[in-house]
Amino acid sequence: MTLRLYDTRAQQLRDFVPLDPENITMYVCGPTVQSGPHIGHVRAALSFDLLRRWLTHRFGRVTFVRNVTDIDDKVLVNATDVEPWWALAYRMEQEFTEAYAGVGILPPTYEPRATASVPQMQELIATLIDRGHAYPAPDGSGDVYFDVRSWPAYGSLTNQSVDAMEAAEDADPRGKRNPQDFALWKGAKADEQADATWRSPWGPGRPGWHIECSAMSKRYLGAEFDIHGGGLDLRFPHHENELAQSTAAGDGFARYWVHNGLVTVGGQKMSKSLGNFTLASDVLSERDPQVVRYALAAAHYRSSLDLSESSWAEAEAALGRIRTFVERTERMLPQTFGWGDRAPLPEAFAAAMDDDLGIPQALGVLHDTVRAGNAALDADDIEGAAAARSEVLAMLDVLGFDRVSGASTGDAQSSALDALVQTMITQRAQARADKDWAAADRIRDAIAAAGITLEDTPAGTHWSIDG
């Protein structure tokens, strides 16, 4: 089956035909590191981690670029005398990296910082001026603007006309020809940090936000690449402006535009500006990171995800069922069946992933295989159970759940629970040995009342949480 992706610009599903099938090229807008990540940032990064993993499975090699915006109005505003802007940006970048790694998001092939590509940004701005699509402000401010009315295709990503757009608010409007013109270069301001400026042909200053991604994507992937990704909230103005300035400069730019849906709280976008966010560090300190990964991945990447306590509970139960099956096979299958092997992916799983990264449907196939594997174990069908295990492990690998088997969380609560249950199992075994059946039944009933299932096998008694 052909991989199909929803292209935001085309507003339809399209067959994915890469420029080079031996090297898929992908650029995703990374964080602006003015403060730490909330769980919505992690969901966005995870969406493209899953796409990247599937592209790697299908094609073999993916060059994946995710930038860091380390110079921006918000970074400068949040800096202090004690912590300069560049130190703040670096500290926050580390927090994002830690949160991403916590849920198993792979590091990018390249992760450029905006401040390392300023010469490339200036080169792109100069090209736009030479082509008649940008102009230095006539007020001596040092600002340079993109002239949106010079580019008839402006608005094509979001299907808007220039006249219907709101004015760009990224710079003082006094030097603009049109209210919608946006800043490519921002002249130095007297009230901003002196070390946050670079020399340029238009005077000292710093790059505008939009030019950063155009310059970095070209530097690391070339003038044309396969996929540009980012959150749905970046379509306008950020991605619209990127598309306009890059194509106006003569570059092919992104062939497919892929956007993930947002995390919402009570139906409202989770946002730092709205103050309704949950820090990723808080979530990851309270929950098993693999459960967090499951909860964030379970909805289709283009849909909104409204997180609640039930979201975490459902994810924990679902992942628990998978873990229980994997652990059962580790105990019950002979080593001769090669239970560490990975089988080819089930056709239904691959078809779901090829259909615009249908993770919910793919997880359905995964759980169907788990149920079939458990049934095979119950029926002493060793070959059937081994085949199911191999398929489950193959699917888990593709989805990035690489820490499912074995000790599930390794935290203090899990260790304490295991110690308590093992003590009760030992007491029950002693009662049975003493033929004190009433005591054995009481212990069994107490364990069952706590939602724990016991499984007596020749190798001993094992427990799992009902789910």
Side-chain angles (χ1 to χ4, degrees):
M1 181 175 176
T2 301
L3 171 62
R4 299 194 305 164
L5 293 173
Y6 186 85
D7 184 350
T8 306
R9 186 181 186 186
Q11 295 189 323
Q12 64 180 2
L13 288 169
R14 293 177 56 203
D15 290 350
F16 179 65
V17 182
L19 282 166
D20 178 3
E22 296 185 359
N23 180 25
I24 310 305
T25 46
M26 188 172 173
Y27 183 92
V28 173
C29 285
T32 299
V33 285
Q34 83 271 16
S35 57
H38 59 61
I39 201 64
H41 293 123
V42 178
R43 193 262 176 127
L46 177 59
S47 297
F48 293 103
D49 180 68
L50 291 164
L51 177 56
R52 175 194 186 178
R53 288 173 183 270
W54 186 242
L55 290 168
T56 300
H57 173 80
R58 293 281 268 107
F59 295 95
R61 179 186 175 190
V62 177
T63 300
F64 182 87
V65 179
R66 185 183 65 221
N67 76 294
V68 175
T69 298
D70 59 340
I71 182 69
D72 179 82
D73 291 351
K74 296 175 183 177
V75 176
L76 299 183
V77 167
N78 287 354
T80 65
D81 292 339
V82 176
E83 187 174 44
W85 66 270
W86 45 267
L88 169 68
Y90 181 66
R91 181 168 63 86
M92 292 300 105
E93 179 185 337
Q94 289 180 311
E95 289 194 14
F96 274 88
T97 298
E98 182 178 356
Y100 294 159
V103 296
I105 294 172
L106 297 172
T109 312
Y110 305 109
E111 192 168 22
R113 297 181 184 126
T115 52
S117 295
V118 174
Q120 288 75 22
M121 298 173 200
Q122 293 182 353
E123 181 181 346
L124 181 54
I125 294 170
T127 298
L128 289 169
I129 292 174
D130 290 344
R131 285 174 165 252
H133 299 299
Y135 58 93
D139 59 4
S141 63
D143 295 341
V144 180
Y145 297 104
F146 183 87
D147 184 353
V148 297
R149 294 191 182 276
S150 74
W151 189 244
Y154 186 67
S156 63
L157 180 64
T158 52
N159 293 303
Q160 298 184 79
S161 67
V162 173
D163 292 330
M165 295 178 186
E166 294 182 359
E169 298 180 349
D170 57 351
D172 194 315
R174 65 186 181 188
K176 295 183 179 183
R177 294 174 181 170
N178 308 289
Q180 294 83 8
D181 292 351
F182 57 88
L184 302 173
W185 187 259
K186 296 184 175 185
K189 308 290 192 300
D191 60 346
E192 291 182 346
Q193 295 88 328
D195 59 354
T197 61
W198 287 258
R199 288 180 292 181
S200 82
W202 318 286
R206 56 187 170 87
W209 177 31
H210 313 299
I211 199 68
E212 295 177 352
C213 287
S214 285
M216 286 185 283
S217 61
K218 182 175 183 178
R219 183 179 185 185
Y220 288 89
L221 295 177
E224 186 175 17
F225 53 94
D226 291 315
I227 297 171
H228 193 314
L232 199 62
D233 55 334
L234 296 180
R235 288 183 306 163
F236 187 86
H238 187 47
H239 289 169
E240 189 74 74
N241 293 350
E242 279 187 63
L243 175 62
Q245 64 202 9
S246 290
T247 50
D251 298 334
F253 206 49
R255 303 177 74 240
Y256 296 81
W257 288 86
V258 178
H259 290 93
N260 64 276
L262 306 177
V263 172
T264 58
V265 180
Q268 189 176 39
K269 169 193 169 185
M270 181 178 288
S271 167
K272 291 179 181 177
S273 62
L274 296 175
N276 63 347
F277 61 91
T278 302
L279 289 175
S281 57
D282 291 341
V283 173
L284 291 170
S285 68
E286 297 170 357
R287 295 178 172 83
D288 177 355
Q290 292 284 282
V291 170
V292 175
R293 183 180 180 94
Y294 192 102
L296 296 179
H300 191 272
Y301 78 92
R302 285 196 287 118
S303 67
S304 296
L305 176 61
D306 203 291
L307 290 173
S308 64
E309 284 301 319
S310 64
S311 306
W312 307 119
E314 291 166 6
E316 185 172 14
L319 197 60
R321 289 191 290 271
I322 299 169
R323 283 173 165 158
T324 298
F325 168 68
V326 173
E327 291 164 3
R328 283 189 75 193
T329 58
E330 288 177 354
R331 296 192 303 268
M332 299 178 69
L333 293 182
Q335 296 286 329
T336 52
F337 275 89
W339 48 256
D341 296 342
R342 270 57 166 170
L345 293 169
E347 290 185 6
F349 179 90
M353 296 294 283
D354 275 340
D355 187 12
D356 195 30
L357 205 68
I359 299 293
Q361 293 75 20
L363 288 173
V365 177
L366 173 58
H367 284 285
D368 286 345
T369 308
V370 166
R371 283 190 286 272
N374 278 320
L377 286 173
D378 294 340
D380 293 326
D381 178 5
I382 301 301
E383 290 188 2
R389 176 192 167 90
S390 295
E391 289 186 345
V392 165
L393 292 179
M395 289 184 276
L396 290 173
D397 275 351
V398 167
L399 296 174
F401 293 102
D402 55 355
R403 300 191 296 276
V404 166
S405 62
S408 56
T409 63
D411 59 21
Q413 288 183 341
S414 296
S415 299
L417 178 61
D418 182 65
L420 288 172
V421 176
Q422 291 296 345
T423 297
M424 296 180 74
I425 289 173
T426 300
Q427 292 172 346
R428 173 173 173 262
Q430 185 61 51
R432 295 173 72 180
D434 296 339
K435 297 186 179 180
D436 187 351
W437 308 118
D441 288 345
R442 282 198 302 273
I443 296 170
R444 179 201 62 202
D445 292 344
I447 293 173
I452 294 171
T453 300
L454 298 182
E455 181 182 11
D456 295 314
T457 73
T461 300
H462 304 277
W463 68 273
S464 60
I465 297 176
D466 293 342

